[in-house]
Amino acid sequence: MSTLSAETGPEDANNQSFWMTGNYHRTVKRTEDAFQACNDIMACFQERARVERQYAQQLSEWSTKWKPLVDASPLYGSLLRAWQCFLSSADRLSSLHSSICRALVSEDGDRMRTWQKETFRKKIFGGFKESQDFETGFSRAQKPWAKRLKKLEKAKSAFHKACRKEHVAREREAHAQGNPDIAIEKQRKIQEETELAHQETEKVRARYEKILEEVTHYAPRYMEEMESIFDQSQEEERKRISFLKQAFLSIHRHLDVTNNESVKAVYNELHNTLMSISEQEDLRWWKNTHGPGMPTDWPQFQEWTPDKKHKKGKKEVEQKAVVMERSVMIGGVRVRALYDYVGQETDELSFKAGKLPLFMFVYSYIMCLYDAHVTPLTLYVCVCSGEEFLKIEDEDDQGWCRGMMDGGKEGLYPANYVEVV
């Protein structure tokens, strides 16, 4: 207000007064301004809600990224737990800021929208009913006052015009009286004109003062009616301010994490975890886990015992025999024994390399000499031909296969004791 008075004169400042004609429109416009302010408030804090959601997401992503690296770090004991607590605290804070986002959008935003809908009653062709009611009230109260002001302004203009006319006449009279070149008759005429101008001025002054008295007399009534409508507008504005105050307090309550018990609990737990870092405890754990405190089987005299063959997969094959179909090799693969083998246990096969008798060897050698179709390789195969049977499962990592003799007996055998036929 001081700036307005400095930049404009007293007359301009007076023209800005609420009591002047039409200046009540600023008060009426408060309703539309308040409605727009509500829209701006909701847009403002919806954007803040997005910030809270993004922050919660970034906290969660940060924790997820670092958790496996922290778990695999070379730290241990209470120091490792302290580092891990930072990540778990971030997860809890992420949930908290997600809840702040939800509160701003659903709780505060919905409350604002509901109040706005109930408070501002829109008209079909635009505007608000509250604005129309205040506009009508102010206009009705100001109409008689405006008519009187217009009449007063007209009387004032007429009075000022008469005063100027009288002033000009008196100047002419004063000039004529001091000028010997002007005839006496003309001077008398100028005096008469001055007297007539003075009479007209007095007449107009009387009318102006009368109208001013009427306006002054009507002013209290005008002020009372205007103040009545203004007080109604003030009451509506008071309700709006009161609601927005509570809305801002609710938003503050959701955003103020300093008084949030959940946040206090998060940082109290983190602080306690950091304070529980113990050099003695961590060093003791390392000593007992990786140092001299580890349990050790010191060397002792042990009696010799024969080694037992360990055939990996043997028990597994027995346990899975009912469940798994023997489809590893459909029909099996025909193999021939290269060496004799006698099964050591009941689930092992026995077979012979099967060398020919001496007379058969001599006969085969003679046939090799006289028959070109019988080569030394053929002779070797004839001499070394052993028992043949089916290999039904491949070699395991211990060098054992499963086979089936022609009689249907199944069992294990060394893989390097046979060759594929």
Side-chain angles (χ1 to χ4, degrees):
M1 184 63 72
S2 60
T3 305
L4 179 63
S5 301
E7 294 178 353
T8 60
E11 185 176 353
D12 293 332
N14 186 54
N15 290 334
Q16 298 295 325
S17 172
F18 165 76
W19 303 107
M20 294 298 101
T21 305
N23 288 351
Y24 64 83
H25 291 298
R26 291 174 297 186
T27 301
V28 174
K29 192 173 180 294
R30 281 195 304 182
T31 301
E32 296 179 1
D33 293 341
F35 182 84
Q36 182 58 42
C38 289
N39 291 337
D40 294 339
I41 290 171
M42 286 189 291
C44 173
F45 289 103
Q46 284 176 353
E47 184 173 340
R48 176 60 186 269
R50 289 194 293 271
V51 171
E52 295 291 335
R53 183 177 66 248
Q54 292 169 359
Y55 180 56
Q57 183 177 356
Q58 289 175 348
L59 279 176
S60 179
E61 291 175 353
W62 174 78
S63 176
T64 303
K65 171 186 174 182
W66 280 96
K67 190 176 187 307
L69 300 175
V70 172
D71 292 342
S73 72
L75 298 186
Y76 56 89
S78 60
L79 203 60
L80 177 60
R81 289 193 297 272
W83 195 359
Q84 291 170 334
C85 191
F86 278 102
L87 304 182
S88 61
S89 299
D91 290 333
R92 294 169 64 181
L93 288 175
S94 174
S95 301
L96 172 67
H97 285 279
S98 295
S99 67
I100 292 176
C101 171
R102 290 191 296 271
L104 291 176
V105 172
S106 59
E107 187 175 334
D108 296 325
D110 290 347
R111 183 188 295 114
M112 181 77 72
R113 277 185 287 271
T114 301
W115 175 83
Q116 191 182 34
K117 185 177 180 181
E118 294 173 352
T119 304
F120 300 93
R121 296 172 295 173
K122 290 186 176 182
K123 294 168 56 180
I124 297 177
F125 298 105
F128 301 96
K129 190 175 185 305
E130 292 78 13
S131 299
Q132 183 184 26
D133 292 343
F134 293 138
E135 176 72 28
T136 302
F138 281 125
S139 177
R140 186 180 292 117
Q142 200 171 74
K143 188 174 181 179
W145 173 258
K147 290 175 65 176
R148 284 173 170 81
L149 283 183
K150 187 176 181 181
K151 188 176 179 181
L152 179 64
E153 185 65 26
K154 187 176 180 181
K156 183 182 75 170
S157 297
F159 170 68
H160 289 176
K161 183 178 179 180
C163 289
R164 283 193 298 271
K165 188 175 180 180
E166 182 183 359
H167 178 71
V168 171
R170 288 189 183 279
E171 285 184 343
R172 288 177 61 193
E173 182 182 5
H175 179 71
Q177 289 178 354
N179 192 347
D181 296 333
I182 300 177
I184 297 176
E185 187 65 28
K186 190 172 183 179
Q187 290 183 2
R188 189 184 307 114
K189 187 176 181 181
I190 292 174
Q191 289 178 354
E192 290 176 356
E193 291 177 355
T194 302
E195 185 64 25
L196 289 174
H198 176 68
Q199 292 176 1
E200 181 66 21
T201 300
E202 292 299 322
K203 181 180 177 181
V204 175
R205 173 190 288 273
R207 185 167 179 271
Y208 177 37
E209 290 177 346
K210 182 180 178 181
I211 295 175
L212 179 60
E213 184 180 356
E214 291 178 359
V215 171
T216 304
H217 180 73
Y218 184 78
R221 179 181 175 183
Y222 166 65
M223 294 175 64
E224 181 181 358
E225 292 180 356
M226 290 290 286
E227 285 183 346
S228 176
I229 305 300
F230 182 78
D231 289 343
Q232 296 177 25
S233 173
Q234 288 289 84
E235 178 59 22
E236 293 296 322
E237 185 68 10
R238 186 197 64 79
K239 293 178 181 178
R240 287 193 286 265
I241 294 174
S242 177
F243 171 81
L244 292 177
K245 175 184 178 181
Q246 297 303 319
F248 282 144
L249 287 174
S250 176
I251 293 171
H252 170 265
R253 186 172 61 254
H254 292 139
L255 294 177
D256 185 11
V257 296
T258 60
N259 292 322
N260 191 300
E261 295 299 327
S262 299
V263 176
K264 291 181 179 179
V266 169
Y267 285 105
N268 284 338
E269 180 180 342
L270 178 58
H271 180 264
N272 294 334
T273 304
L274 298 178
M275 293 303 295
S276 66
I277 296 176
S278 171
E279 299 89 338
Q280 292 78 12
E281 180 184 343
D282 289 358
L283 294 175
R284 186 183 306 110
W285 179 88
W286 185 268
K287 177 181 179 181
N288 295 332
T289 306
H290 301 290
M294 295 178 62
T296 303
D297 293 332
W298 296 102
Q300 296 179 358
F301 182 82
Q302 295 181 356
E303 292 289 346
W304 178 85
T305 55
D307 295 334
K308 293 186 178 180
K309 292 181 180 179
H310 175 68
K311 295 179 279 295
K312 184 178 179 181
K314 194 168 161 183
K315 292 184 179 179
E316 296 176 2
V317 172
E318 293 176 355
Q319 293 174 354
K320 297 179 182 178
V322 180
V323 182
M324 297 178 59
E325 298 182 1
R326 301 189 182 280
S327 58
V328 177
M329 295 183 180
I330 301 175
V333 177
R334 198 74 179 171
V335 295
R336 178 188 297 114
L338 295 176
Y339 312 100
D340 294 344
Y341 181 76
V342 179
Q344 303 292 321
E345 298 183 19
T346 57
D347 63 343
E348 296 180 2
L349 296 178
S350 299
F351 47 80
K352 293 179 178 282
K355 296 188 178 186
L356 296 178
L358 182 58
F359 74 92
M360 288 296 296
F361 173 75
V362 173
Y363 174 75
S364 300
Y365 180 74
I366 295 172
M367 290 297 296
C368 179
L369 294 176
Y370 289 95
D371 190 344
H373 296 288
V374 181
T375 63
L377 178 61
T378 305
L379 176 62
Y380 173 80
V381 171
C382 292
V383 172
C384 297
S385 295
E387 289 186 71
E388 295 183 4
F389 54 90
L390 289 177
K391 180 174 73 170
I392 58 177
E393 287 187 12
D394 278 332
E395 178 182 356
D396 61 16
D397 55 359
Q398 297 295 323
W400 293 82
C401 294
R402 176 169 286 273
M404 183 173 66
M405 307 300 289
D406 291 342
K409 181 180 178 181
E410 294 185 17
L412 300 173
Y413 64 88
N416 58 354
Y417 275 54
V418 301
E419 65 176 355
V420 179
V421 176

